[in-house]
Amino acid sequence: MHKRKLKLGGIIDGVGWSYTGWRHPAMPSDASENINYYVEKAKQLEQAKFDTIFLADVSHIGPGMIPHYLSMFEGVSILSALSMVTHSIGLAATIATSYADPFTVARQIASLDKISNGRAGWNAITSNPGGLANYSRTHLSKSDLYPMKKEFLEIVEGLWDSYEDDAFIRDKVKGKFYDASKMHPLHYRGNYFSVDGPLNVSRSRQGRPVISQAGTSSDFMDIAAKHAEVIMAPGDNIDYLKRYTAELKRRVKDQGRSPDDLLMMPSHSPIIGRTEKEAIEKLKEIESLMPLGYRLPRPQFLGSAENVAEQIEHWYREGIIDILLIRQDYPAGFEDFIQLVIPILQEKGIFRTEYEDDTLRGNLELPYPENMHIK
Ligand SMILES: Cc1cc2nc3c(=O)[nH]c(=O)nc-3n(C[C@H](O)[C@H](O)[C@H](O)COP(=O)(O)O)c2cc1C
């Protein structure tokens, strides 16, 4: 059986996913709201042939949150800007199904998909119930989140197939703009949402945007098994990840899908040096920005580039990493990974030297989704 090469994703989270990363001398302290910073990182990741940029999100904030969450860009807005300065890398935004409106999300992500010429992804998460108070949904509670997510996904997928691929004729001579028989309204009636459709955006070159999801509960897994193509997974414990992957793939099979069509994407913050010692020094350097007595959890991928590349290869061959999603705790985290680890992964033959395609789906080697109305 053909085994996919390893895929890479990069989370750009501004000043970093920590309380004190913004204090590092090499980190612009306004990075989370600095378009030039995002452009620079996006170009860096694309030059290194990463499959996708990935933006996490938060749905409510307050005192005590990490600085990045306190003042950050909205995901689709920033990815639209990044789509104009990149050509092949994927652009995936997190939008919670608990708070947004499915017609709006279908439209936003489909628009991003067309603007970027087939590179959009959507990370569909429930997020935590705190957001209910920001989105006028205090009449709902935690137990509503997964039933709502199920409806949300059915609606968005339905709306994305509003038009068959050849629906638009645009024949000026005959005066025929489109073929109305290839337009499909949805008429969805659920407990939470009611949407007639159709969507006023046609399908992109990759058919539909790539859907990722993140969560751990059994309710999460049932919905992911049906609707997810990528799983953003907690990456800090190999034994847990093995069990989690096996369980998800079992449920995917029960849905009649190939387990191979679900990609596992654990997230990591690697800290890499030329030597073990250099990596530990970098860890200590960021720990020194924290209040006295605080320590960072030891990153799973910490050490010399050779050792980290070996470990990544091991996780990849075990089938628990299809996409390695990295965020940078250390301000030069992407740079170190790109300069020191990627050449070793390429030498091992498990990571690309050129993009195979210029759609996200194509680079991830995910199947093209036929329009549900022509099956
Ligand atoms: C790996 C991972 C990444 C997540 N990323 C986000 C995120 O970016 N924003 C957010 O609001 N919630 C995020 N969540 C939280 C989930 O949306 C969800 O609220 C949480 O996992 C509880 O649901 P569960 O019991 O099904 O896991 C993440 C969860 C996991 C496991």
Side-chain angles (χ1 to χ4, degrees):
M1 194 187 74
H2 165 74
K3 182 160 171 66
R4 285 182 182 87
K5 285 198 174 173
L6 178 72
K7 316 292 179 187
L8 293 176
I11 300 194
I12 313 178
D13 36 21
V15 291
W17 207 49
S18 71
Y19 283 96
T20 49
W22 66 276
R23 296 180 63 194
H24 193 282
M27 174 58 75
S29 55
D30 67 347
S32 300
E33 289 184 323
N34 180 334
I35 183 66
N36 295 329
Y37 180 82
Y38 274 78
V39 167
E40 185 193 314
K41 292 293 147 196
K43 286 183 171 173
Q44 182 182 35
L45 295 172
E46 181 166 74
Q47 207 172 8
K49 318 294 176 207
F50 273 58
D51 291 81
T52 190
I53 292 164
F54 188 95
L55 301 181
D57 201 20
V58 66
S59 46
H60 74 121
I61 62 155
M65 287 264 178
I66 56 170
H68 172 58
Y69 287 162
L70 298 181
S71 59
M72 65 190 288
F73 290 134
E74 184 281 317
V76 176
S77 309
I78 183 155
L79 292 177
S80 300
L82 296 182
S83 75
M84 303 309 289
V85 294
T86 53
H87 307 281
S88 305
I89 196 165
L91 305 160
T94 295
I95 305 178
T97 53
S98 308
Y99 313 121
D101 177 85
F103 191 92
T104 309
V105 171
R107 194 174 181 207
Q108 280 178 298
I109 301 285
S111 297
L112 178 65
D113 207 22
K114 302 282 283 197
I115 291 169
S116 64
N117 217 3
R119 294 187 280 139
W122 170 39
N123 185 35
I125 55 156
T126 52
S127 187
N128 64 55
L132 292 169
N134 272 345
Y135 292 84
S136 316
R137 289 190 181 163
T138 45
H139 56 292
L140 300 178
S141 65
K142 188 164 186 257
S143 61
D144 291 297
L145 302 190
Y146 280 111
M148 204 191 316
K149 179 174 182 176
K150 178 175 176 290
E151 291 187 12
F152 201 115
L153 283 159
E154 288 168 356
I155 293 167
V156 170
E157 287 179 354
L159 289 174
W160 281 345
D161 281 356
S162 288
Y163 291 107
E164 292 175 34
D165 288 351
D166 56 354
F168 287 90
I169 301 159
R170 299 188 177 102
D171 186 328
K172 290 191 179 182
V173 177
K174 293 192 180 130
K176 198 163 169 69
F177 192 70
Y178 81 113
D179 178 349
S181 72
K182 296 187 174 178
M183 172 206 260
H184 302 281
L186 187 63
H187 299 303
Y188 190 98
R189 297 290 176 267
N191 290 323
Y192 300 93
F193 302 110
S194 173
V195 178
D196 273 358
L199 187 70
N200 52 348
V201 186
S202 63
R203 297 195 351 148
S204 83
R205 288 172 60 226
Q206 62 171 352
R208 289 186 206 151
V210 175
I211 294 182
S212 62
Q213 302 191 18
T216 52
S217 62
S218 180
D219 286 347
F220 163 79
M221 287 195 188
D222 278 339
I223 295 175
K226 184 138 190 237
H227 297 278
E229 301 177 277
V230 173
I231 298 290
M232 180 189 178
D236 39 13
N237 182 319
I238 190 165
D239 293 325
Y240 173 77
L241 196 55
K242 273 187 196 167
R243 287 197 305 274
Y244 175 83
T245 303
E247 181 57 24
L248 263 168
K249 299 238 167 184
R250 186 185 69 72
R251 294 187 198 210
V252 166
K253 231 168 147 178
D254 285 351
Q255 288 289 338
R257 294 174 64 200
S258 163
D260 213 31
D261 293 346
L262 182 79
L263 304 184
M264 298 305 296
M265 181 173 74
S267 76
H268 287 271
S269 306
I271 296 189
I272 293 139
R274 280 177 185 79
T275 61
E276 201 79 16
K277 188 162 164 272
E278 200 180 279
I280 304 279
E281 276 163 12
K282 288 178 184 174
L283 181 69
K284 287 195 174 141
E285 189 185 323
I286 45 177
E287 277 182 345
S288 75
L289 304 168
M290 301 168 77
L292 215 60
Y294 280 75
R295 310 228 2 222
L296 278 175
R298 263 178 108 78
Q300 182 74 41
F301 296 149
L302 165 75
S304 70
E306 283 76 18
N307 282 349
V308 168
E310 284 281 305
Q311 241 186 316
I312 291 170
E313 184 180 17
H314 176 64
W315 286 45
Y316 161 75
R317 299 216 183 273
E318 288 275 326
I320 50 174
I321 291 190
D322 297 301
I323 309 173
L324 173 62
L325 182 63
I326 66 172
R327 49 176 19 130
Q328 46 170 26
D329 273 351
Y330 187 73
F334 287 154
E335 194 180 319
D336 289 345
F337 190 85
I338 290 166
Q339 286 184 359
L340 302 174
V341 179
I342 287 188
I344 305 175
L345 298 175
Q346 287 168 331
E347 215 164 279
K348 288 174 183 288
I350 62 172
F351 185 63
R352 68 165 69 83
T353 51
E354 280 305 327
Y355 283 111
E356 295 82 21
D357 200 358
D358 57 3
T359 66
L360 175 55
R361 188 174 289 286
N363 282 317
L364 293 179
E365 300 174 70
L366 282 168
Y368 183 85
E370 288 303 336
N371 188 304
M372 59 180 76
H373 301 288
I374 58 169
K375 267 186 189 160

